[in-house]
Amino acid sequence: FYVSADGRYVLHGDVIDIENKVNISDQRRALARKQVLADLPADRYIEFPAAGGKARRTLYVFTDIDCGYCRKMHGEVGKLNAGGIAVRYLAFPRTGLKGESFKKAAAVWCAADRQQAITQAKLGKRIDSPECASPVAEEFELGNAMGVTGTPAVYTEEGKHIGGYLPAEQLIRMVDDGKL
């Protein structure tokens, strides 16, 4: 929402600079998301680091264990990592804070080896973990606050929302071409 200084007028929607072809509202949202993502402690996401430990780009991905495109993307994480792209997963059970997707996400987060657990869960395998204080509910709420409506929801570390699933080769090419 945009409100005039005197409080009389309210505008709901994006502000677009037609001349420069820039969505100013989206730029502002990206700045806010950038700060939120930068402030996340490492224990709030599951990271698959870039090969060699030096990422050319880091992607934050809100993911659901049962999402078909999330599973497809996860199957290409090795290619992304080899291409210099780190992937940081945040839980976003699409069915909300109750139900099987939430339980599966919590089991992954409570596992001793989260990388292995998320990989196995995305292959449809059951994860048996002791209960713990997982951040799944907080991450779900964070996703809602950032406007996540579907998974995978992929963001750059600059807060730019690049959409959902894209093939690894396309993402790597975008990094190579300076478009991501």
Side-chain angles (χ1 to χ4, degrees):
F1 289 97
Y2 298 93
V3 181
S4 63
D6 64 2
R8 180 175 177 194
Y9 299 100
V10 174
L11 171 68
H12 178 254
D14 286 358
V15 175
I16 312 284
D17 178 341
I18 300 293
E19 185 175 318
N20 294 311
K21 299 178 182 166
V22 174
N23 184 325
I24 296 169
S25 299
D26 195 44
Q27 287 180 333
R28 288 305 233 3
R29 285 189 292 267
L31 285 173
R33 290 188 297 249
K34 176 182 179 179
Q35 188 61 52
V36 168
L37 295 172
D39 290 344
L40 283 174
D43 65 352
R44 284 287 304 276
Y45 50 77
I46 299 171
E47 183 166 13
F48 286 80
K54 178 99 170 101
R56 297 187 304 148
R57 178 65 66 205
T58 299
L59 299 179
Y60 290 84
V61 181
F62 285 90
T63 191
D64 179 275
I65 299 298
D66 296 320
C67 157
Y69 281 105
C70 297
R71 289 178 174 190
K72 187 170 182 151
M73 182 174 191
H74 188 68
E76 298 179 8
V77 164
K79 290 180 189 175
L80 292 169
N81 296 157
I85 300 173
V87 175
R88 294 179 175 170
Y89 282 124
L90 298 157
F92 193 83
R94 296 173 301 162
T95 57
L97 301 179
K98 297 181 178 166
E100 288 304 309
S101 289
F102 177 83
K103 290 175 188 173
K104 290 174 184 179
V108 164
W109 285 92
C110 293
D113 184 340
R114 293 178 183 154
Q115 284 184 331
Q116 181 182 15
I118 198 167
T119 298
Q120 294 301 306
K122 286 185 178 283
L123 291 171
K125 299 192 175 158
R126 180 182 163 92
I127 305 301
D128 291 315
S129 299
E131 287 190 30
C132 71
S134 79
V136 174
E138 293 171 25
E139 291 176 3
F140 179 76
E141 294 303 328
L142 174 63
N144 281 325
M146 288 179 59
V148 173
T149 57
T151 56
V154 184
Y155 296 86
T156 66
E157 68 260 47
E158 287 85 18
K160 180 181 177 186
H161 181 225
I162 61 172
Y165 168 78
L166 291 173
E169 293 82 7
Q170 185 176 350
L171 288 169
I172 293 167
R173 191 171 41 256
M174 289 169 73
V175 170
D176 291 344
D177 294 344
K179 295 179 182 176
L180 181 63

